[in-house]
Amino acid sequence: MSVAFSTDELYLSHEPPGGVPHPERPARLSAILGRLESTGLLARMQRLPERDASDEELLAVHDRGVLETVQAQHAAGGGWIDADTFVGASSPAAARRAVGAALAATWAVLDGSARSAFVAARPPGHHATRDRSMGFCLYNQVAVAAAAALARGLERIAVVDWDLHHGNGTQAIFDADPRVLYVSTHAYPYYPGTGTVGERGLGEAAGTKVNIPLPHGAGDRAFLAAYGQVAVPALEAFEPELVLVSCGWDSHARDPLGALAVSTGGYTAVARLILDAAERLCDGRLVAVLEGGYDEHALACCAQALCELLLGEEPTPDPEQGAGRPEVVHEIEAVIAAARASAGLD
């Protein structure tokens, strides 16, 4: 069965007003697309048609004020929602299309026309909450896709977030929903300041929000331990019908914002773990949606490896690997024990 892929040139026009330098820049996506094109991977994936998210679809997870704020900034000629989050001339259109792409990829996987999918879109989305755009994110495409799949009748959806930063928006939107398992590894303490082990979900959803806050410089061994000992067992206990991945590659050792020193090989090993889990638990139904990542080399290499894995091919090694700090491996043991207990795995 094929692997679906979605992107659009519109995403390249999402830029801050006045040409202000910003890490969330078009070159991020260009690096990914260039690598997938040059390696022939694009030609081996099923290209999905573009579509925009409707107001109704966005309002399933966002208050109307979020949409109105984005449009107001656009009508004013562009501006800043906060110190990090901009609205440029093409931003509202790009953000709607990014959400539409996540929805189209999810439908392709659920309808059986594709086994899995990768959405290479920007801006990212996992920081956008029900009532606020923030952290480079205007709308939360993974949350919208999850809500739409639930409305379609799915009963258990897992979101795996391997971005450097905690996806506070996604967690908050589904904090009281036991149908959504949210699993996140992230640097802590770090922006946005959320994602402690004690954040387990509310009410009936307690235990379905699994946070694994990692110390700075954690590196590959700690990253893999977090997934092998916490994330994958949590998925196995939950038995999802669909896995959505908030696919941020800013934990990479090369990333200018990164603090976890994970190598391309480390990211690839974690992706293999999650893909294997999806294969066992939900017939491989998985949709990965681009989030952060601000080094072009790391983005290109990690995207190549992910797509090779999705296609059932052996990933191409990246010679530029990160090491992390060996002493951090010992620090991670307490975090893993606490995360396992919080998720009810012990």
mmCIF file of all heavy atoms in Angstrom, residues 186-213:
data_model
loop_
_atom_site.group_PDB
_atom_site.id
_atom_site.type_symbol
_atom_site.label_atom_id
_atom_site.label_comp_id
_atom_site.label_asym_id
_atom_site.label_seq_id
_atom_site.Cartn_x
_atom_site.Cartn_y
_atom_site.Cartn_z
ATOM 1 N N HIS A 186 10.358 16.073 25.472
ATOM 2 C CA HIS A 186 10.693 17.473 25.254
ATOM 3 C C HIS A 186 11.765 17.888 26.256
ATOM 4 O O HIS A 186 11.917 17.283 27.324
ATOM 5 C CB HIS A 186 9.466 18.365 25.422
ATOM 6 C CG HIS A 186 8.630 18.018 26.611
ATOM 7 N ND1 HIS A 186 7.633 17.053 26.572
ATOM 8 C CD2 HIS A 186 8.650 18.454 27.895
ATOM 9 C CE1 HIS A 186 7.081 16.930 27.761
ATOM 10 N NE2 HIS A 186 7.686 17.777 28.598
ATOM 11 N N ALA A 187 12.507 18.911 25.893
ATOM 12 C CA ALA A 187 13.489 19.468 26.818
ATOM 13 C C ALA A 187 12.748 20.180 27.944
ATOM 14 O O ALA A 187 11.754 20.870 27.712
ATOM 15 C CB ALA A 187 14.407 20.445 26.095
ATOM 16 N N TYR A 188 13.257 20.014 29.154
ATOM 17 C CA TYR A 188 12.608 20.656 30.306
ATOM 18 C C TYR A 188 13.676 21.022 31.343
ATOM 19 O O TYR A 188 14.551 20.200 31.623
ATOM 20 C CB TYR A 188 11.583 19.706 30.933
ATOM 21 C CG TYR A 188 10.722 20.385 31.975
ATOM 22 C CD1 TYR A 188 9.568 21.056 31.602
ATOM 23 C CD2 TYR A 188 11.092 20.374 33.311
ATOM 24 C CE1 TYR A 188 8.786 21.695 32.553
ATOM 25 C CE2 TYR A 188 10.312 21.020 34.259
ATOM 26 C CZ TYR A 188 9.163 21.678 33.885
ATOM 27 O OH TYR A 188 8.398 22.319 34.812
ATOM 28 N N PRO A 189 13.661 22.215 31.905
ATOM 29 C CA PRO A 189 12.707 23.288 31.617
ATOM 30 C C PRO A 189 13.046 23.993 30.303
ATOM 31 O O PRO A 189 14.222 24.212 29.994
ATOM 32 C CB PRO A 189 12.891 24.239 32.810
ATOM 33 C CG PRO A 189 14.308 24.023 33.242
ATOM 34 C CD PRO A 189 14.614 22.574 32.981
ATOM 35 N N TYR A 190 12.040 24.333 29.574
ATOM 36 C CA TYR A 190 12.214 24.963 28.265
ATOM 37 C C TYR A 190 10.857 25.494 27.836
ATOM 38 O O TYR A 190 9.821 25.155 28.434
ATOM 39 C CB TYR A 190 12.744 23.928 27.260
ATOM 40 C CG TYR A 190 13.638 24.475 26.171
ATOM 41 C CD1 TYR A 190 14.722 25.282 26.475
ATOM 42 C CD2 TYR A 190 13.407 24.155 24.843
ATOM 43 C CE1 TYR A 190 15.564 25.766 25.482
ATOM 44 C CE2 TYR A 190 14.238 24.633 23.842
ATOM 45 C CZ TYR A 190 15.305 25.432 24.163
ATOM 46 O OH TYR A 190 16.125 25.913 23.173
ATOM 47 N N TYR A 191 10.837 26.324 26.806
ATOM 48 C CA TYR A 191 9.579 26.835 26.271
ATOM 49 C C TYR A 191 8.670 25.656 25.919
ATOM 50 O O TYR A 191 9.138 24.677 25.353
ATOM 51 C CB TYR A 191 9.843 27.685 25.021
ATOM 52 C CG TYR A 191 8.606 28.299 24.419
ATOM 53 C CD1 TYR A 191 8.182 29.554 24.828
ATOM 54 C CD2 TYR A 191 7.851 27.606 23.471
ATOM 55 C CE1 TYR A 191 7.027 30.107 24.292
ATOM 56 C CE2 TYR A 191 6.701 28.154 22.942
ATOM 57 C CZ TYR A 191 6.294 29.406 23.351
ATOM 58 O OH TYR A 191 5.148 29.958 22.834
ATOM 59 N N PRO A 192 7.388 25.724 26.234
ATOM 60 C CA PRO A 192 6.616 26.808 26.837
ATOM 61 C C PRO A 192 6.479 26.686 28.362
ATOM 62 O O PRO A 192 5.628 27.351 28.952
ATOM 63 C CB PRO A 192 5.261 26.653 26.159
ATOM 64 C CG PRO A 192 5.123 25.176 25.983
ATOM 65 C CD PRO A 192 6.505 24.673 25.674
ATOM 66 N N GLY A 193 7.264 25.826 29.003
ATOM 67 C CA GLY A 193 7.249 25.701 30.451
ATOM 68 C C GLY A 193 6.284 24.658 30.975
ATOM 69 O O GLY A 193 6.159 24.488 32.194
ATOM 70 N N THR A 194 5.592 23.958 30.078
ATOM 71 C CA THR A 194 4.648 22.919 30.477
ATOM 72 C C THR A 194 5.251 21.542 30.193
ATOM 73 O O THR A 194 6.345 21.420 29.658
ATOM 74 C CB THR A 194 3.332 23.078 29.702
ATOM 75 O OG1 THR A 194 3.634 23.122 28.293
ATOM 76 C CG2 THR A 194 2.622 24.352 30.087
ATOM 77 N N GLY A 195 4.501 20.506 30.548
ATOM 78 C CA GLY A 195 4.934 19.154 30.224
ATOM 79 C C GLY A 195 5.648 18.427 31.342
ATOM 80 O O GLY A 195 6.559 17.632 31.090
ATOM 81 N N THR A 196 5.256 18.661 32.573
ATOM 82 C CA THR A 196 5.838 17.911 33.681
ATOM 83 C C THR A 196 5.239 16.503 33.719
ATOM 84 O O THR A 196 4.166 16.245 33.153
ATOM 85 C CB THR A 196 5.561 18.601 35.026
ATOM 86 O OG1 THR A 196 4.146 18.576 35.279
ATOM 87 C CG2 THR A 196 6.048 20.045 35.006
ATOM 88 N N VAL A 197 5.911 15.612 34.419
ATOM 89 C CA VAL A 197 5.409 14.245 34.557
ATOM 90 C C VAL A 197 4.031 14.230 35.209
ATOM 91 O O VAL A 197 3.182 13.383 34.895
ATOM 92 C CB VAL A 197 6.412 13.390 35.355
ATOM 93 C CG1 VAL A 197 5.804 12.048 35.737
ATOM 94 C CG2 VAL A 197 7.688 13.170 34.549
ATOM 95 N N GLY A 198 3.785 15.174 36.093
ATOM 96 C CA GLY A 198 2.515 15.210 36.808
ATOM 97 C C GLY A 198 1.321 15.629 35.977
ATOM 98 O O GLY A 198 0.181 15.506 36.437
ATOM 99 N N GLU A 199 1.538 16.116 34.756
ATOM 100 C CA GLU A 199 0.430 16.469 33.866
ATOM 101 C C GLU A 199 -0.044 15.193 33.186
ATOM 102 O O GLU A 199 0.480 14.793 32.151
ATOM 103 C CB GLU A 199 0.881 17.531 32.863
ATOM 104 C CG GLU A 199 1.276 18.839 33.521
ATOM 105 C CD GLU A 199 1.911 19.819 32.545
ATOM 106 O OE1 GLU A 199 1.547 19.805 31.356
ATOM 107 O OE2 GLU A 199 2.803 20.586 32.971
ATOM 108 N N ARG A 200 -1.079 14.557 33.748
ATOM 109 C CA ARG A 200 -1.504 13.218 33.342
ATOM 110 C C ARG A 200 -2.837 13.204 32.605
ATOM 111 O O ARG A 200 -3.268 12.151 32.129
ATOM 112 C CB ARG A 200 -1.628 12.315 34.566
ATOM 113 C CG ARG A 200 -0.416 12.242 35.455
ATOM 114 C CD ARG A 200 -0.645 11.339 36.664
ATOM 115 N NE ARG A 200 -1.017 9.983 36.261
ATOM 116 C CZ ARG A 200 -2.203 9.426 36.514
ATOM 117 N NH1 ARG A 200 -3.144 10.124 37.167
ATOM 118 N NH2 ARG A 200 -2.465 8.187 36.134
ATOM 119 N N GLY A 201 -3.501 14.360 32.511
ATOM 120 C CA GLY A 201 -4.853 14.395 31.991
ATOM 121 C C GLY A 201 -5.845 14.626 33.109
ATOM 122 O O GLY A 201 -5.538 14.432 34.288
ATOM 123 N N LEU A 202 -7.050 15.044 32.748
ATOM 124 C CA LEU A 202 -8.057 15.438 33.733
ATOM 125 C C LEU A 202 -9.212 14.438 33.784
ATOM 126 O O LEU A 202 -9.627 13.899 32.754
ATOM 127 C CB LEU A 202 -8.603 16.824 33.393
ATOM 128 C CG LEU A 202 -7.574 17.954 33.286
ATOM 129 C CD1 LEU A 202 -8.255 19.246 32.839
ATOM 130 C CD2 LEU A 202 -6.851 18.151 34.616
ATOM 131 N N GLY A 203 -9.727 14.212 34.975
ATOM 132 C CA GLY A 203 -10.904 13.376 35.138
ATOM 133 C C GLY A 203 -10.714 11.989 34.576
ATOM 134 O O GLY A 203 -9.740 11.302 34.893
ATOM 135 N N GLU A 204 -11.650 11.570 33.718
ATOM 136 C CA GLU A 204 -11.587 10.236 33.120
ATOM 137 C C GLU A 204 -10.366 10.058 32.219
ATOM 138 O O GLU A 204 -10.003 8.929 31.894
ATOM 139 C CB GLU A 204 -12.856 9.962 32.315
ATOM 140 C CG GLU A 204 -14.124 9.868 33.152
ATOM 141 C CD GLU A 204 -15.334 9.554 32.306
ATOM 142 O OE1 GLU A 204 -15.183 9.459 31.059
ATOM 143 O OE2 GLU A 204 -16.431 9.399 32.872
ATOM 144 N N ALA A 205 -9.742 11.156 31.821
ATOM 145 C CA ALA A 205 -8.583 11.082 30.936
ATOM 146 C C ALA A 205 -7.270 10.941 31.701
ATOM 147 O O ALA A 205 -6.197 10.911 31.084
ATOM 148 C CB ALA A 205 -8.521 12.324 30.046
ATOM 149 N N ALA A 206 -7.318 10.846 33.023
ATOM 150 C CA ALA A 206 -6.090 10.716 33.806
ATOM 151 C C ALA A 206 -5.305 9.486 33.357
ATOM 152 O O ALA A 206 -5.843 8.391 33.237
ATOM 153 C CB ALA A 206 -6.425 10.605 35.290
ATOM 154 N N GLY A 207 -4.043 9.698 33.071
ATOM 155 C CA GLY A 207 -3.163 8.633 32.609
ATOM 156 C C GLY A 207 -3.032 8.558 31.106
ATOM 157 O O GLY A 207 -2.170 7.827 30.600
ATOM 158 N N THR A 208 -3.834 9.335 30.376
ATOM 159 C CA THR A 208 -3.737 9.327 28.911
ATOM 160 C C THR A 208 -2.859 10.451 28.379
ATOM 161 O O THR A 208 -2.678 10.572 27.169
ATOM 162 C CB THR A 208 -5.119 9.430 28.253
ATOM 163 O OG1 THR A 208 -5.731 10.682 28.611
ATOM 164 C CG2 THR A 208 -6.013 8.285 28.680
ATOM 165 N N LYS A 209 -2.319 11.269 29.242
ATOM 166 C CA LYS A 209 -1.370 12.295 28.838
ATOM 167 C C LYS A 209 -0.027 11.937 29.489
ATOM 168 O O LYS A 209 0.098 11.965 30.730
ATOM 169 C CB LYS A 209 -1.847 13.684 29.266
ATOM 170 C CG LYS A 209 -3.286 13.980 28.830
ATOM 171 C CD LYS A 209 -3.494 13.849 27.336
ATOM 172 C CE LYS A 209 -4.951 14.046 26.916
ATOM 173 N NZ LYS A 209 -5.797 12.847 27.022
ATOM 174 N N VAL A 210 0.932 11.569 28.669
ATOM 175 C CA VAL A 210 2.195 10.998 29.148
ATOM 176 C C VAL A 210 3.332 11.931 28.746
ATOM 177 O O VAL A 210 3.684 12.032 27.564
ATOM 178 C CB VAL A 210 2.429 9.594 28.565
ATOM 179 C CG1 VAL A 210 3.717 8.995 29.112
ATOM 180 C CG2 VAL A 210 1.236 8.689 28.863
ATOM 181 N N ASN A 211 3.892 12.615 29.732
ATOM 182 C CA ASN A 211 4.976 13.554 29.479
ATOM 183 C C ASN A 211 6.301 12.989 29.985
ATOM 184 O O ASN A 211 6.384 12.485 31.108
ATOM 185 C CB ASN A 211 4.683 14.893 30.157
ATOM 186 C CG ASN A 211 3.588 15.657 29.435
ATOM 187 O OD1 ASN A 211 3.763 16.067 28.287
ATOM 188 N ND2 ASN A 211 2.449 15.837 30.088
ATOM 189 N N ILE A 212 7.326 13.102 29.134
ATOM 190 C CA ILE A 212 8.657 12.617 29.473
ATOM 191 C C ILE A 212 9.621 13.796 29.323
ATOM 192 O O ILE A 212 10.239 13.989 28.275
ATOM 193 C CB ILE A 212 9.082 11.445 28.563
ATOM 194 C CG1 ILE A 212 7.934 10.439 28.414
ATOM 195 C CG2 ILE A 212 10.334 10.767 29.119
ATOM 196 C CD1 ILE A 212 8.147 9.423 27.323
ATOM 197 N N PRO A 213 9.736 14.638 30.348
ATOM 198 C CA PRO A 213 10.606 15.823 30.269
ATOM 199 C C PRO A 213 12.071 15.414 30.385
ATOM 200 O O PRO A 213 12.486 14.817 31.381
ATOM 201 C CB PRO A 213 10.155 16.670 31.463
ATOM 202 C CG PRO A 213 9.580 15.673 32.437
ATOM 203 C CD PRO A 213 9.011 14.554 31.630
#
